[in-house]
Amino acid sequence: MASKSCANIFNLVSDKLLDIPQTPRNLPRVMTLPGIINGYDGDSDSISSGCRERKIIVTNMLPLHIQRDPDTLKLTFSFDEDSLYWQLKDGFSPETEVVYVGSLKVEVDASEQEEVAQKLLEEFSCVPTFLPHDLHEKFYAGFCKQQLWPLFHYMLPICPDHADRFDRLLWQAYVSANKIFADKVMEVADPDEDYIWVHDYHLMILPTFLRKRYNRVKLGFFLHSPFPSSEIYRTLPVRDEILKGLLNCDLIGFHTFDYARHFLSCCSRMMGLDYESKRGHIGLDYFGRTVYIKILPVGIHMGRLESVLNLPITSSKVNEISQRFKGKKLIVGVDDMDIFKGISLKLLAFEYLLQMSPVLQGNLVLIQIVNPARGTGKDVDEAKRETYLIVNRINETYGSPDYEPVVLIDRPVARYEKSAYYSMADCCIVNAVRDGMNLVPYKYIVCRQHSPHIDKSSMLVVSEFVGCSPSLSGAIRVNPWDIESVAGAINSALTMKDSEKKLRHEKHYKYVSSHDVAYWARMFMQDLERASKDHYNKRCWGIGFGLGFRVVSLSPSFRKLSPNYIVSAYKKSNRRAIFLDYDGTLVPQSSIVKAPSEELISILSTLCNDPKNTVFIVSGRGRSSLSEWLAPCEGLGLAAEHGYFIRWSGSSEWESSVPATDLEWKEIAEPVMRLYTEATDGSSIEVKESGLVWHHQDADPDFGSCQAKELLVHLENVLANEPAVVKRGQHIVEVKPQGVTKGLVAEKILSRMVEKGESPDFVTCIGDDRSDEDMFESIRNTVLSASSVSSNPEIFACTVGQKPSKAKYYLDDTADVIKLLGGLANASDPKPGNAARFQVTFDTIF
C-alpha cells in the first residue's frame, strides 16, 4: 500500500500542471526501444558522437545566463562560468559529453518552450524542465525554502513565527516537480551507459523515480547543504520517503564527515540499517545493494579566479582600495543576507573588539559585502534590519569624518571587485551559524596568493559550524555565538607574527590549489563508477509502492526456494538431514512469545517420525528452554548454545563438547559485561551454561553500537590467553568456548550419519543470522568432500530474508519457513487434511 505522503501523487501527475512538452530527441545513443537509436539518420558524425562517454548532471537550475533581446524579444543564452555545475566538467576527460537537466531562471511562455528546448539541447546540451509557475512556487519557494532549507539548518517550526509548519500540499508539489525532473532525465538517458549525477536537497526523491524506471541506473547524489542530526531530521513527517529516495542512489556525497555521520545515524535509527567501512569506503547494505557514502568537500575553479585577478579592472580596484584605506588594517566578510550567515553576530564581535581595544579605533575597518538574499520573508527582513541597526551604531560610536569602522556594501558586487577586496584584506572572517560549505575562505586564500601588491600571507577566522572548517586546519576556528571569543580571534589574527601567517597561508594554499572543483568532480565520478560496476553481476528486481520503492539486488545464483522443487527432491530421497535454526527462523525475532506454536510442534513431530529423516534444531538458546518447548517431538535432535550441548533425541542424554573445567574464563568476562551493562541503559546479560551474551537491542542504537565495539575490544584483551572466543552479532556481543560453532555441529552430525552407513542424499539447512552462515558453509564442504556420501546429494542451504548469504536460497520470513516445512511434513505423511491445508498455503504464498 502506498504511504499517506504519496496520496494524490498520481492525480498530480495526470494534472494539467504536468502537461509539459517533450524534450527534442536529438541526442544520439538514446534508445526508445532496445537496439533502436532514436533520431539516427545514418550520419557518420552521429555515430562518432554516440561513442562518447556521457555524464548527465541534474540540478535545480541550469548553469545558464538568460537575457531577452530588446529588438527581437527572443531569449538569448550563455553559460554561467561562475556556476559550480558548469565548472565541474573540468574534472571529466575532454571526450566526455556533459548533458545538463534543470530549470531556467526565467519563466518561458508555453508557445516558446519547444523552440527554446531545441535551441538549448543543440547549442548547450541542456534539457529544461519548464515547471509551471504555480508548481515551481510551491516546490521551490514553498517546500524547499520554507521547510527543507530551515530544517537542514537546524531551524524547527516550534511556533508559527519561528518557521513554517509542514504543508502536505507543498510536499505533493515537491514530489510532482521531482517526477518532472525524472521524466526529463529518462528522455535523454541511456541507463546502460550514462552516469547520472543529481545535486542538492531540491531533488532528493528523484532517485526513486529513476531507480523504478531503470533498476540498474548508475546514479549519484551530492548534498550541498548540511544534513541535520537525527533529533532534528526525525521531526520531518516525510522523513522515510526522503531517506529511501537517497538510498536509491549508488553513491551519496557530503561535504563533511559530520553531515555523513548524521545521515548514517538517521538510517540506523529510522530504518535499522547498519554501515561498515571497507578499505576506506563507507557502505550501507540496502536490500542487497551497497549504497556508498562519500565525504568530499567541494573546491573552487582556480583558473577562473586567477583570470579575474589578472584583469586590468581588478588591478585598478586594488589600487583604489589601497589608497582609500591606506594605513589601516582591513577585515573582509562576504555573506548572503539570511539568518544563518551570522552577519549580526560578526558585527557585534567587531563592536566588542573596538570597545575593548581603543588602539584599534581609527585603524581597523570591516568591509562587509552582502550578497542579495536568495529568499524572501520576515526572517530576511529582520536580519537586514538588525544588520543596518548595528552598523549604524558602530559607525556613530567609533567613527569620525575620515573614518568609517564598518563599510557595508549591500548591492550586487562584481567578481573583480570582490577579488580586489579579498586581495587587500589582512583577515577574512566567516561567522555563519550553519552553512553547507562556504567557499569564501578558499577564494580569499587564492586572491592573497596571486595578488601582485601584497606579501603572500593570509589569516582566516572561521566558524566551526561551516563545512569548509575541517579542511582549513590553519584557520582560527570560533563559536559564532561567543561574541568575546570571536573578537579575541580577530585580534589574534591581526597581531600574529608574519612568519606564522605565511606558514598557515602556505598550508591552506597547498590544499585549496590541489583540491579544486575539478578534483572534486573527478573523485566523485571515480567512486560512482566503482560503486556501480557490479550492477550487471547481480539479479535485480523492484519491490514496494510509491516512494517506498526500492531495488533488491542479489547474486544470480541466489533465488527464492521453490516449494515444488524441494518437495520433489524430498520425495525422491532415501536419507535426509534437516538442520533448523530457532530464533528468527521458526519463531520471529520480534515475537514476545518464544515458545513454538502447536502447528510447528505438529510439523516437527511429523518430520521426526519419518524414518528417513534426521532432524536437528541448532540454536544459540540454552538447553533447558529448548528441552521444555520441544519435549513433544521425541525424535527431534537438539544442539543448544551453538552446539556446546547436543542431544540426539528426546530419550538420549545431553553431551558436552568441551569439559566444564574450560569455562573458568566466565568469571573473568562476566564482571566486564556487568560494567558495560550498568553504563548502557537498555542492555542486559544472558548467562548460558557455556558462555555469556551481552544484548543491546533495547539501548540507544548509536550508543549501544559504540559500547558493543568497546566491549568487544575489552573482552578480547582480558581473554587473550583463555580458551574462549569473542564475537559480535546483531545487537549482541557473545563469549563462548573455542571450537564451538554451528558449523562444527552440522559436520559432527553428518559424519555420524556417514559412520552409521546412512549417508544423506538430501540435506536442508535453514537459518537467519551470521552464526548460521558457518552451518551453510560447513554442510556444503562436508557433504561434497565425504567420499561415502551420495555422488549427487541435494543441498538446500536457505537463509531467511533477502540478504547477502553463503546460502543458495532464501525465504522471506518465518511464516514462509513454517509453510515450507509443512509441505515437507505433508510429503512424509500425506493425510487428506494435511494435503488440503498445505495446498492452500502454497497457493497463497508462493
Side-chain angles (χ1 to χ4, degrees), residues 395-574:
N395 288 339
E396 290 173 4
T397 304
Y398 301 104
S400 65
D402 60 346
Y403 171 59
E404 189 178 19
V406 179
V407 177
L408 184 66
I409 306 176
D410 187 8
R411 56 173 170 79
V413 178
R415 177 173 283 269
Y416 80 88
E417 186 175 353
K418 288 181 183 177
S419 299
Y421 278 113
Y422 287 142
S423 298
M424 296 306 297
D426 298 279
C427 175
C428 176
I429 178 170
V430 176
N431 205 48
V433 297
R434 189 71 60 179
D435 207 351
M437 185 62 190
N438 200 313
L439 296 175
V440 165
Y442 289 13
K443 297 173 184 176
Y444 167 69
I445 291 164
V446 174
C447 288
R448 293 287 288 181
Q449 175 72 18
H450 291 277
S451 176
H453 304 278
I454 58 153
D455 292 332
K456 292 176 172 52
S457 66
S458 61
M459 274 309 300
L460 285 166
V461 176
V462 178
S463 164
E464 61 191 50
F465 301 113
V466 174
C468 64
S469 175
S471 305
L472 301 171
S473 56
I476 301 177
R477 297 191 181 99
V478 294
N479 174 3
W481 302 98
D482 188 344
I483 304 299
E484 292 83 357
S485 293
V486 175
I490 297 173
N491 189 56
S492 297
L494 296 173
T495 57
M496 187 176 291
K497 293 181 180 179
D498 290 342
S499 58
E500 185 174 350
K501 289 181 181 179
K502 289 182 179 180
L503 287 173
R504 290 174 183 248
H505 171 78
E506 289 170 2
K507 184 177 185 179
H508 287 159
Y509 181 75
K510 182 178 180 181
Y511 175 83
V512 172
S513 59
S514 60
H515 292 72
D516 61 358
V517 66
Y519 171 87
W520 171 74
R522 184 167 59 253
M523 290 299 101
F524 186 90
M525 198 53 65
Q526 283 181 6
D527 270 24
L528 179 57
E529 291 172 2
R530 179 184 56 79
S532 53
K533 67 179 180 180
D534 291 332
H535 278 188
Y536 287 91
N537 295 334
K538 294 185 176 182
R539 291 186 304 120
C540 298
W541 65 94
I543 59 174
F545 298 98
L547 298 180
F549 177 85
R550 64 270 191 200
V551 166
V552 177
S553 178
L554 299 170
S555 168
S557 61
F558 188 62
R559 57 186 183 272
K560 190 166 185 177
L561 183 53
S562 166
N564 293 331
Y565 179 44
I566 190 173
V567 168
S568 174
Y570 182 87
K571 290 179 177 179
K572 295 175 183 177
S573 58
N574 295 312

Side-chain angles (χ1 to χ4, degrees), residues 155-165 378:
M155 187 175 178
L156 291 174
I158 296 173
C159 60
D161 291 336
H162 195 199
D164 290 339
R165 299 276 171 82
K378 55 193 175 188

Side-chain angles (χ1 to χ4, degrees), residues 103-345:
S103 296
L104 294 172
K105 298 173 184 176
V106 299
E107 192 171 349
V108 179
D109 189 81
S111 61
E112 297 180 280
Q113 288 180 4
E114 186 172 352
E115 179 185 351
V116 168
Q118 186 75 36
K119 179 182 179 66
L120 290 178
L121 183 60
E122 293 175 352
E123 298 180 16
F124 298 92
S125 292
C126 289
V127 179
T129 55
F130 296 128
L131 296 184
H133 177 75
D134 182 55
L135 178 62
H136 182 267
E137 284 299 305
K138 290 179 180 177
F139 155 66
Y140 180 73
F143 194 77
C144 291
K145 283 300 181 181
Q146 293 178 19
Q147 301 188 346
L148 282 183
W149 190 77
L151 185 80
F152 278 31
H153 289 76
Y154 288 73
M155 187 175 178
L156 291 174
I158 296 173
C159 60
D161 291 336
H162 195 199
D164 290 339
R165 299 276 171 82
F166 179 78
D167 186 334
R168 194 158 293 277
L169 290 177
L170 298 183
W171 161 246
Q172 291 172 350
Y174 183 84
V175 172
S176 296
N178 274 247
K179 179 66 166 59
I180 292 173
F181 274 83
D183 289 342
K184 290 297 178 183
V185 173
M186 292 174 196
E187 288 177 11
V188 297
D190 177 353
D192 295 328
E193 300 293 336
D194 297 341
Y195 290 89
I196 301 172
W197 189 359
V198 182
H199 289 267
D200 223 1
Y201 63 94
H202 316 88
L203 304 172
M204 289 193 292
I205 60 170
L206 184 150
T208 294
F209 294 114
L210 293 180
R211 185 69 64 187
K212 187 172 185 179
R213 178 69 177 271
Y214 306 125
N215 289 173
R216 291 185 173 90
V217 65
K218 293 174 277 192
L219 183 58
F221 179 92
F222 199 93
L223 183 67
H224 294 271
S225 76
F227 195 93
S229 67
S230 60
E231 287 74 18
I232 299 294
Y233 181 79
R234 70 197 310 168
T235 64
L236 186 64
V238 289
R239 62 192 191 184
D240 288 350
E241 288 85 346
I242 289 177
L243 283 181
K244 290 174 182 177
L246 294 177
L247 289 170
N248 274 317
C249 296
D250 297 301
L251 177 67
I252 307 171
F254 299 92
H255 285 307
T256 73
F257 175 69
D258 274 349
Y259 304 159
R261 177 169 56 85
H262 293 157
F263 173 76
L264 292 170
S265 177
C266 288
C267 291
S268 172
R269 290 172 178 273
M270 297 166 207
M271 303 189 68
L273 301 178
D274 292 325
Y275 70 91
E276 59 182 353
S277 181
K278 295 181 180 178
R279 297 183 179 180
H281 301 289
I282 301 173
L284 280 162
D285 182 72
Y286 187 58
F287 291 91
R289 292 175 50 247
T290 299
V291 180
Y292 288 95
I293 307 300
K294 182 72 173 176
I295 300 160
L296 189 66
V298 71
I300 60 174
H301 194 287
M302 296 288 292
R304 173 67 175 157
L305 191 52
E306 290 168 5
S307 66
V308 172
L309 289 169
N310 293 328
L311 294 173
I313 193 172
T314 306
S315 298
S316 176
K317 188 64 181 180
V318 167
N319 292 331
E320 177 189 325
I321 296 170
S322 179
Q323 291 299 318
R324 179 181 174 185
F325 299 104
K326 188 175 183 179
K328 295 180 173 61
K329 294 280 188 181
L330 294 186
I331 303 171
V332 68
V334 180
D335 303 279
D336 295 345
M337 178 57 78
D338 71 49
I339 59 175
F340 297 113
K341 299 303 181 184
I343 298 177
S344 59
L345 294 173

Side-chain angles (χ1 to χ4, degrees), residues 575-579 612-615 750 753 760 762-765:
R575 280 303 307 167
R576 311 172 188 125
I578 300 173
F579 300 93
K612 296 181 179 181
N613 293 346
T614 297
V615 185
L750 289 172
M753 293 178 68
F762 174 97
V763 181
T764 294
C765 179

